[in-house]
Structures are given as structure tokens and as C-alpha cells.
Amino acid sequence: MFQQITEQQQQTVARNFRHYLTQLESLKLLRELGEYHAGENRGHDQIINKKNAIEQFLQ
């Protein structure tokens, strides 16, 4: 239904946002275990840098 009532751009934004949420959850575990090291994975670093904006949006 979502695809029927939204435009392609909205669908892309929603898909990316869900991806960020999933990645944040995975990275949270890595950070808690001490296995995340900034600079090792550019994609992970970008998601970590967006963490505050994502959390603010959800509130």
C-alpha cells in the first residue's frame, strides 16, 4: 500500500532510513563490544555521524 500512495522519492527516503536504523542497531552492538573503530569502514562512520539526527527525528 505504501508504494501505491507515495512517490518514488519518498519510498527511497523511507528505505534509506530503515537501512540506517538497522545499521545503527548493528553498530551499537559493535560499539558495546569495543569492536567498532572509526575510520575502518566509511559507511559505518557515516551512519554513526548521522546517529544524533536520526534519534532526534524519532523523538
Side-chain angles (χ1 to χ4, degrees):
M1 176 121 172
F2 180 71
Q3 293 174 343
Q4 296 170 344
I5 61 173
T6 57
E7 295 180 14
Q8 184 64 39
Q9 182 181 8
Q10 292 169 312
Q11 294 169 21
T12 300
V13 169
R15 188 172 30 259
N16 289 342
F17 192 78
R18 286 191 301 270
H19 172 75
Y20 291 145
L21 288 177
T22 301
Q23 290 297 310
L24 271 177
E25 193 64 31
S26 297
L27 290 169
K28 178 182 176 184
L29 179 60
L30 289 176
R31 292 175 83 183
E32 289 173 355
L33 296 172
E35 295 295 321
Y36 170 78
H37 304 286
E40 288 184 355
N41 184 307
R42 185 177 177 189
H44 290 169
D45 294 343
Q46 290 175 341
I47 291 170
I48 292 293
N49 290 335
K50 295 178 182 181
K51 180 180 182 285
N52 289 338
I54 292 170
E55 290 175 345
Q56 285 179 342
F57 177 78
L58 292 172
Q59 293 180 8

